[in-house]
C-alpha cells in the first residue's frame, strides 16, 4: 500500500473520519487505476459528470468523487480493489432507480454497472442470463420473441440488479413468485476482490443472502433466471371514483387472494394526470386496480366478469404483449421527477385502514403521487419466511406510498403527504417494509424488514464483508448492534 494512503488511514483513524475523499488521492494512484480500466472514469471536472451522477429520483443530489463506468468483470474487480485499498466510500449502481439514491454516494467511488449489459435466452432450458447493469425492459425485449418472461416489477426502466437483490414484486408474482424465487445463479465480485458463482449448490449461504438482502454482499455481474411461458397477457386498469375506495378495497381483499393464480392485480389510490386517459378522468382521484392475467386467453372474459360487475367508472382491460403491460406507466413516470417513498407490509385491509386510504387518497397532493398495495399470495406466498431473507411471505400486501412531482418546490408538499399517509397506516402494518420500497428510514427499519432473518444475514455479512465495504444500501451490519 502506498505511503500516502497509510497517512490518510492514520489521519482518518485519529480524527474519526471514516473514508478518504477521491479528490485527496495522489494523481499517480488514479492514473494507475485508470490504466487498469477498460470503461470510462468520470470526475467532477468532466463535462459528462452531471449526467453521470443523475439517478432516476431527482430529489437525490449526490456528488461522487469518481464514477467508474465498468464494462466487464475485470473492471468491477479492479474498482472494488481500488476502493478498498484506498479506503473510499463505495456505491454500486445498477439501474439507478432506487428511491433513496443508493446507487450513488458523496465524495467516494461509484461502481456504475450500466456498461455491463447482455441478455442471453436459453430456450431449451427456459433460462435467461442477464448482465448486472441491465434494466428490465431490455430483458423483456429479449425474451418476448421466444414467448418467455422473467417475473419483475411494473416499470421497464427499473434495474435488474437492485430489484432482484431486494426481492422483486410485480405483475407475475401470484403466478410465478417474486423475482428472487426465479433466480438460479449469480456471478459476484466480493469485497476482497474475489469472484464467485453462487447458486443452491455453490456458496449456498451467499445465494440465500442475495435473494432479498440487497447489495450488501457483493457486486453481481450476471444473473441467471428461470423464465416462464408468457407472451400475451390480458390486463390493464379499472378505476373507481375515490369515494368508492372503501367498498372496492373490501371487495378486492376477498377477491384477489382467492382468485386463480393466473390473475394478478395491485390496488392503488391515484390521480389520472392526463392523456392517454379520456379527458373526463383528468385530475380526478381514483381507487384503481391494475390487472394482469397470464392464463388461457379464451377464459379471460370469464375471469374478468366479477371484476367488471363491480362497475368501474373506467376500464381499459384487454389483450396486450407482456412487454406492453410492463411499460404501461413508463411514459407517466419518466426519470427526473422528485420522489419521496414510504413503505410497509400489511396483512389486513380492515375498516380503519380502508378509511385512511379514503382520507389520504382524497387528498393526493400532486397528479403523480400515489399509493400501491401489491398482493403477496399464490406463488409469492408459498416459500416460508426464512427460506429467503424476504421475511413477510405471510403478509398479504407489500405497500408503498410515493409523493411524486416534477417541481422541486413541491418536494416538501409531497414528502409531507407521504409521511402523514404512512403514519396513519403504520399502526395497522405487519412491522417492516419491503426494502426496495424504502428510502432512508435507518437501521431499525432495516432490521424490522428482515425480521427473524436479520441475525443470519449479519453472520453472512461478517463472513463475506466483515468491514462493511458494501455499505451504501439498506445496510446489514457485520456486527449485530
Ligand atoms: C418507478 C419505479 C417503479 C418501481 N417498481 C417496482 C416494482 O414494481 N417492483 C419492485 O419490486 N420494485 C419496484 N421498484 C423499486 C426498485 O426495485 C428499487 O428502486 C431498486 O433498488 C432499483 O434497482 P436499480 O438497480 O434500478 O437501482 P440502483 O439505484 O442502481 O441500486 C439500488 C441498490 O441496489 C444495489 N445494486 C444494484 N445493482 C446491483 C448489482 N448488480 N450488484 C450489487 N448491488 C446492486 C445498489 O448498490 C443499491 O444499493 C420501483 C422503483 C421505481 C423508481
Amino acid at each position: 500500500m502506498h505511503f500516502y494512503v497509510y497517512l490518510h488511514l492514520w489521519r482518518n483513524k485519529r480524527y474519526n473520519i471514516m473514508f478518504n475523499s477521491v479528490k485527496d488521492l495522489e494523481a499517480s494512484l488514479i492514473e494507475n487505476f485508470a490504466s487498469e480500466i477498460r470503461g470510462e472514469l468520470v470526475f467532477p471536472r468532466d463535462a459528462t459528470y452531471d449526467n453521470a451522477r443523475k439517478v432516476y429520483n431527482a430529489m437525490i443530489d449526490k456528488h461522487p468523487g469518481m464514477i467508474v463506468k465498468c464494462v466487464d468483470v475485470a473492471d468491477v474487480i479492479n474498482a472494488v480493489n481500488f476502493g478498498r485499498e484506498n479506503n473510499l466510500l463505495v456505491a454500486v449502481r445498477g439501474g439507478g432507480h432506487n428511491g433513496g439514491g443508493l446507487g450513488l454516494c458523496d465524495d467516494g467511488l461509484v461502481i456504475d454497472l450500466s456498461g455491463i449489459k447482455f441478455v442471453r435466452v436459453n430456450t431449451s432450458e427456459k433460462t435467461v442470463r442477464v448482465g448486472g447493469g441491465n434494466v428490465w425492459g431490455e430483458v423483456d425485449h429479449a425474451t418476448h420473441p421466444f414467448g418467455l418472461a422473467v417475473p419483475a416489477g411494473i416499470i421497464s426502466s427499473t434495474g435488474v440488479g437492485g430489484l432482484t437483490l431486494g426481492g422483486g414484486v410485480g405483475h407475475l408474482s401470484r403466478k410465478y413468485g417474486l423475482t428472487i424465487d426465479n433466480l438460479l445463479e449469480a456471478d459476484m465480485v466480493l469485497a476482497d476482490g474475489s469472484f464467485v458463482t453462487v447458486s443452491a449448490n455453490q456458496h449456498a449461504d451467499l445465494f440465500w443472502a442475495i435473494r432479498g438482502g440487497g447489495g450488501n454482499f457483493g457486486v453481481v455481474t450476471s444473473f441467471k433466471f428461470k423464465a416462464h411461458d408468457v407472451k400475451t397477457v390480458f390486463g390493464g386498469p379499472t378505476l373507481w371514483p375515490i369515494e368508492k375506495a372503501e367498498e372496492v378495497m373490501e371487495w378486492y381483499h376477498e377477491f384477489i387472494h382467492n382468485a386463480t393464480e393466473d390473475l394478478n392485480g395491485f390496488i392503488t389510490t391515484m390521480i389520472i394526470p392526463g392523456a392517454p386517459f379520456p379527458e373526463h378522468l383528468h385530475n380526478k382521484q381514483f381507487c384503481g386496480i391494475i390487472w394482469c392475467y397470464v392464463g388461457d386467453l379464451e377464459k379471460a372474459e370469464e375471469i374478468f366478469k366479477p371484476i367488471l360487475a363491480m362497475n368501474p367508472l373506467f376500464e381499459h382491460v384487454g389483450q396486450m404483449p407482456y412487454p406492453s403491460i410492463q411499460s404501461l406507466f413508463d411514459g407517466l413516470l419518466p426519470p427526473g421527477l422528485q420522489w419521496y417513498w414510504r413503505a410497509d407490509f400489511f396483512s389486513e385491509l380492515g375498516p380503519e385502514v380502508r378509511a385512511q386510504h379514503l382520507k389520504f387518497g382524497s387528498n393526493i397532493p400532486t397528479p403523480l403521487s400515489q399509493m400501491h398495495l401489491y398482493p403477496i399470495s399464490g406463488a409469492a406466498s408459498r416459500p416460508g419466511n426464512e427460506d429467503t431473507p424476504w421475511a413477510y411471505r405471510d403478509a398479504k400486501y407489500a405497500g408503498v406510498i410515493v409523493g411524486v412531482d416534477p417541481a422541486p418546490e413541491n418536494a416538501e408538499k409531497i414528502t409531507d403527504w407521504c409521511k402523514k399517509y404512512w403514519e396513519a397506516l403504520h399502526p395497522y402494518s405487519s412491522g417492516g417494509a419491503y426494502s426496495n420500497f424504502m428510502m432512508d428510514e435507518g437501521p431499525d427499519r432495516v432490521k424490522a424488514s428482515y425480521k427473524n432473518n436479520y441475525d443470519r444475514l449479519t453472520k453472512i455479512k461478517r463472513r463475506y464483508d466483515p468491514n462493511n465495504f458494501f455499505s451504501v444500501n439498506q445496510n446489514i451490519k457485520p456486527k449485530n448492534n
Side-chain angles (χ1 to χ4, degrees):
M1 196 184 299
H2 199 281
F3 170 73
Y4 192 73
V5 176
Y6 272 124
L7 196 69
H8 260 296
L9 292 175
W10 172 82
R11 187 201 64 170
N12 287 359
K13 204 167 172 204
R14 178 156 184 206
Y15 297 108
N16 211 12
I17 301 168
M18 281 185 59
F19 295 105
N20 289 329
S21 188
V22 173
K23 65 178 181 324
D24 294 335
L25 295 184
E26 242 182 25
S28 63
L29 280 174
I30 294 185
E31 276 161 28
N32 277 346
F33 176 53
S35 72
E36 293 173 335
I37 295 291
R38 287 250 163 160
E40 188 193 349
L41 301 189
V42 184
F43 296 94
R45 61 175 180 267
D46 295 330
T48 49
Y49 176 74
D50 276 332
N51 209 30
R53 72 179 183 88
K54 262 189 208 147
V55 283
Y56 181 81
N57 183 359
M59 215 182 259
I60 306 297
D61 184 25
K62 293 188 188 168
H63 291 77
M66 191 198 315
I67 300 167
V68 192
K69 296 194 153 217
C70 299
V71 294
D72 58 17
V73 174
D75 278 0
V76 175
I77 292 174
N78 291 334
V80 164
N81 288 337
F82 182 76
R84 190 190 60 251
E85 286 164 6
N86 292 290
N87 190 35
L88 299 173
L89 178 63
V90 169
V92 178
R93 179 190 171 128
H97 255 229
N98 187 269
L102 295 175
L104 279 188
C105 61
D106 278 318
D107 266 0
L109 174 70
V110 171
I111 300 179
D112 182 334
L113 303 175
S114 60
I116 305 186
K117 285 184 195 260
F118 50 85
V119 186
R120 271 199 302 278
V121 185
N122 183 328
T123 49
S124 52
E125 269 188 357
K126 289 196 182 169
T127 60
V128 187
R129 263 273 169 213
V130 182
N134 277 101
V135 300
W136 280 106
E138 294 156 352
V139 180
D140 297 335
H141 171 79
T143 57
H144 186 66
F146 301 104
L148 295 171
V150 177
I154 61 139
I155 295 266
S156 77
S157 53
T158 309
V160 172
L163 181 135
T164 301
L165 296 171
V169 290
H171 291 303
L172 303 182
S173 298
R174 293 194 73 241
K175 177 71 178 175
Y176 296 119
L178 305 182
T179 309
I180 47 175
D181 302 330
N182 295 281
L183 182 64
L184 299 172
E185 198 177 280
D187 289 341
M188 298 179 70
V189 177
L190 304 181
D192 63 2
S194 61
F195 178 83
V196 294
T197 297
V198 304
S199 67
N201 307 317
Q202 305 167 81
H203 299 282
D205 53 349
L206 207 43
F207 183 59
W208 177 84
I210 64 163
R211 285 176 295 156
N216 272 286
F217 303 93
V219 185
V220 176
T221 53
S222 145
F223 296 90
K224 182 179 178 185
F225 295 106
K226 195 189 315 170
H228 300 276
D229 297 316
V230 177
K231 178 100 179 163
T232 303
V233 301
F234 191 99
T238 48
L239 301 177
W240 293 263
I242 194 68
E243 294 74 23
K244 291 207 159 202
E246 291 171 295
E247 181 192 332
V248 174
M249 283 185 167
E250 185 176 13
W251 165 81
Y252 167 79
H253 182 67
E254 277 312 303
F255 177 76
I256 191 68
H257 302 293
N258 296 308
T260 164
E261 291 181 9
D262 290 338
L263 183 68
N264 200 88
F266 70 89
I267 193 161
T268 153
T269 54
M270 64 184 293
I271 291 179
I272 292 299
F277 290 90
E279 215 174 318
H280 72 278
L281 305 176
H282 292 185
N283 295 316
K284 297 205 172 81
Q285 332 242 354
F286 291 97
C287 175
I289 304 175
I290 318 302
W291 302 98
C292 178
Y293 169 74
V294 293
D296 179 353
L297 289 172
E298 289 192 356
K299 294 190 184 148
E301 287 191 12
E302 196 59 32
I303 298 283
F304 275 73
K305 263 190 191 153
I307 299 169
L308 299 178
M310 285 297 290
N311 295 318
L313 178 70
F314 174 81
E315 57 91 358
H316 193 68
V317 290
Q319 287 191 25
M320 63 182 98
Y322 176 71
S324 299
I325 198 151
Q326 276 288 88
S327 49
L328 209 57
F329 303 103
D330 287 13
L332 281 180
L333 300 168
L337 305 172
Q338 307 277 312
W339 286 71
Y340 188 82
W341 295 66
R342 280 291 170 107
D344 261 324
F345 286 110
F346 297 91
S347 291
E348 291 300 331
L349 284 181
E352 298 89 351
V353 174
R354 299 198 296 267
Q356 294 301 340
H357 283 297
L358 172 63
K359 179 177 162 193
F360 285 91
S362 306
N363 289 292
I364 300 175
T366 56
L368 295 173
S369 298
Q370 50 204 277
M371 181 286 306
H372 295 181
L373 289 169
Y374 294 85
I376 307 165
S377 62
S381 65
R382 272 197 283 282
N385 281 346
E386 286 157 28
D387 289 346
T388 64
W390 220 81
Y392 286 84
R393 301 286 187 155
D394 55 347
K396 288 278 182 268
Y397 305 99
V400 62
I401 306 162
V402 285
V404 188
D405 197 64
E409 54 273 25
N410 283 338
E412 202 178 321
K413 184 158 91 172
I414 58 176
T415 301
D416 191 54
W417 171 79
C418 186
K419 283 185 180 165
K420 289 198 170 118
Y421 198 161
W422 180 85
E423 279 158 13
L425 290 174
H426 183 63
Y428 306 100
S429 76
S430 313
Y434 169 32
S435 63
N436 271 347
F437 288 165
M438 296 203 302
M439 206 157 165
D440 52 359
E441 296 156 53
D444 288 345
R445 288 288 287 158
V446 177
K447 278 186 186 168
S449 295
Y450 292 115
K451 223 170 36 174
N452 299 338
N453 293 327
Y454 191 80
D455 283 353
R456 184 169 170 194
L457 287 166
T458 293
K459 283 191 191 117
I460 299 170
K461 178 81 172 173
R462 204 151 49 226
R463 184 171 316 146
Y464 292 98
D465 184 14
N467 298 317
N468 205 7
F469 176 75
F470 296 110
S471 65
V472 186
N473 40 46
Q474 298 297 352
N475 196 226
I476 292 156
K477 308 263 185 280
K479 291 200 176 88
N480 204 352
N481 53 37

